[in-house]
């Protein structure tokens, strides 16, 4: 038997997760800025067990899951069916209609995170009359037995060998180095024409709030100068997300991000991740 409930997110029990949620689906992340009365959580129960969870923010002209996050969408129990999710989506549509918000925008996680659930989500949304507004292409690396050298092309291997000859080294940095790293990221992204979606204050607060989720890594030259950096997020036990990275423009012709990604790959192998999301 199915049933559902919708509550303000801060009133939802802390343990009301469907199944090993991604970080951006957790209650702690959703409430990172305190109680937000306009953010709600939908739970669908099947025979008393949580099968679907979705956080939704009610904005001026639409409902979004989730704004100011890498993604939102549906957190599914492994036994969730298309029919279960259709029930959840119709409940969500009815709730938003009651709030005079007929438009709902779902920002889902990359398919590589969970291809089985992605297929269920896509099919259920289409059945409920949804349409795909846009699709982002994801770059990712499957973490396996192969070494990083075996996965890359000759040009990338040349940059990796250059870093080794220059005695560059991979570091996991403390948050005390975040300001220097952020400057490197901003300069690098601006040079490529990419926006920086968080301020330093916001990123610093994220490191303070979630020290077990946000990590800072670098590649340093022989003199100890950072030539490339990465802010990574522990999405769950299986996924390591390279959220931001940047490199020193003086070294760009030698692609210092390549040895940085090599270091991240080795870190991910050592710590049991199965996927590294490169954005």
């Amino acid at each position: 038997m199915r049933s559902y409930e919708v509550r303000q997110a801060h009133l939802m029990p802390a343990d009301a997760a469907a199944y090993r949620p991604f970080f951006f689906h957790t209650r702690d992340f959703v409430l990172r800025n305190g109680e937000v009365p306009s953010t709600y959580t939908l739970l669908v129960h099947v025979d008393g067990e949580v099968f679907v969870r979705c956080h939704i923010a009610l904005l001026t002209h639409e409902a979004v899951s989730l704004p100011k996050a890498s993604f939102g969408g549906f957190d599914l129990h492994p036994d969730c069916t298309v029919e279960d999710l259709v029930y959840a989506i119709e409940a969500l549509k009815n709730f938003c209609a009651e709030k005079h918000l007929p438009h709902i925008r779902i920002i889902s996680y990359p398919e590589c995170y969970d291809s089985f659930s992605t297929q269920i989500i896509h099919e259920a949304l289409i059945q409920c009359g949804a349409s795909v507004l846009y699709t982002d292409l994801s770059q990712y690396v499957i973490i396996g037995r192969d070494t990083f050298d075996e996965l890359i092309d000759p040009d990338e291997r040349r940059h990796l060998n250059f870093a080794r000859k220059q005695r560059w080294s991979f570091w996991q940095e403390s948050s005390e180095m975040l300001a220097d790293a952020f400057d490197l990221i901003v300069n690098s992204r601006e040079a490529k024409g990419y926006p920086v979606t968080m301020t330093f204050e916001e990123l610093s607060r994220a490191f303070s709030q979630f020290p077990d989720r946000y990590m800072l890594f670098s590649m340093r030259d022989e003199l100890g100068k950072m030539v490339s950096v990465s802010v990574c997020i522990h999405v769950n036990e299986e996924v390591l997300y390279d959220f931001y990275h940047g490199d020193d423009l003086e070294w760009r012709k030698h692609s210092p991000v390549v040895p940085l990604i090599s270091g991240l790959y080795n870190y991910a192998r050592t710590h049991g991740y199965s996927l590294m999301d490169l954005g």
Side-chain angles (χ1 to χ4, degrees), residues 6-11 30-31 33-41 56-59 95 99:
V6 183
R7 300 191 209 173
Q8 289 176 314
H10 65 274
L11 299 177
V30 173
L31 299 179
N33 295 321
E35 296 180 4
V36 181
S38 59
T39 299
Y40 288 78
T41 301
I56 192 87
L58 307 186
L59 307 183
F95 170 76
K99 299 293 185 180

Side-chain angles (χ1 to χ4, degrees), residues 81-126:
T81 65
V82 172
E83 291 74 21
D84 294 328
L85 186 53
V86 166
Y87 175 86
I89 295 169
E90 292 298 337
L92 188 62
K93 288 168 62 178
N94 292 337
F95 170 76
C96 290
E98 291 173 0
K99 299 293 185 180
H100 307 290
L101 292 172
H103 300 291
I104 303 172
R105 183 159 50 95
I106 304 294
I107 305 168
S108 196
Y109 50 81
E111 182 178 358
C112 59
Y113 281 28
D114 185 344
S115 59
F116 181 75
S117 293
T118 297
Q119 183 61 37
I120 291 176
I121 292 168
H122 179 78
E123 188 173 338
L125 285 169
I126 295 301

Side-chain angles (χ1 to χ4, degrees), residues 116-142:
F116 181 75
S117 293
T118 297
Q119 183 61 37
I120 291 176
I121 292 168
H122 179 78
E123 188 173 338
L125 285 169
I126 295 301
Q127 283 191 29
C128 292
S131 58
V132 178
L133 295 178
Y134 63 89
T135 301
D136 285 331
L137 296 178
S138 297
Q139 299 183 42
Y140 63 92
V141 179
I142 301 296

Side-chain angles (χ1 to χ4, degrees), residues 27-36 67-68 202 205 209-210:
R27 184 176 184 273
D28 286 346
F29 176 79
V30 173
L31 299 179
R32 65 196 182 281
N33 295 321
E35 296 180 4
V36 181
K68 297 185 177 180
E202 289 171 331
R205 185 164 61 248
Q209 283 183 286
F210 305 106

